[in-house]
Amino acid sequence: MNMPALEPSLVSSLDALEQALDEERQALLDHDVDALLGSTQAKLVALRQLESRQLNDGMSARVLALADFNRANSVLLTRRRREVSWALRHLGRVESAGVYDAGGQSSTRPQVRILGVG
């Protein structure tokens, strides 16, 4: 059975996505906000390129692996967000209070506390 030839631009888009995910993970591990923002932008560009192309069956395993990689980064990002929220809350800088926005969606609005009287 012959495997369909892989379109070079499709492979390069998948490579770009994988590289962006690698950089995103490293930025999360290093607590590097600037690198995280850059890697997120690169990831979005690669995803837009992929969305405009027809994926073939030969790509399904790699796409699934990249999806798993993205979910793993999401778990790490969620952990980092919780750590930052915890630290801010315990420093007395921000309190999270659940509220509904104008669209009726549940969200969190930070409330700043004054730490001292000046």
Side-chain angles (χ1 to χ4, degrees), residues 11-60:
V11 172
S12 68
S13 293
L14 286 170
D15 289 343
L17 178 58
E18 185 172 6
Q19 180 178 351
L21 289 169
D22 280 333
E23 291 171 1
E24 181 181 60
R25 180 167 182 75
Q26 193 58 51
L28 287 165
L29 293 173
D30 294 344
H31 303 277
D32 187 341
V33 175
D34 292 330
L36 180 60
L37 292 174
S39 63
T40 300
Q41 183 63 32
K43 180 172 73 170
L44 292 173
V45 167
L47 285 170
R48 281 190 206 105
Q49 290 173 352
L50 286 168
E51 288 172 346
S52 68
R53 291 179 169 76
Q54 181 70 30
L55 297 177
N56 58 40
D57 291 338
M59 291 289 173
S60 60

Side-chain angles (χ1 to χ4, degrees), residues 3 7 18 48 53-54 79 84 89 115-117:
M3 291 292 286
E7 181 183 332
E18 185 172 6
R48 281 190 206 105
R53 291 179 169 76
Q54 181 70 30
R79 185 179 305 145
V84 169
R89 194 169 51 253
L115 296 177
V117 179

Side-chain angles (χ1 to χ4, degrees), residues 74-90:
S74 174
V75 169
L76 189 54
L77 179 60
T78 300
R79 185 179 305 145
R80 293 291 179 250
R81 274 188 37 228
R82 272 184 275 173
E83 289 170 358
V84 169
S85 294
W86 182 90
L88 290 173
R89 194 169 51 253
H90 284 81

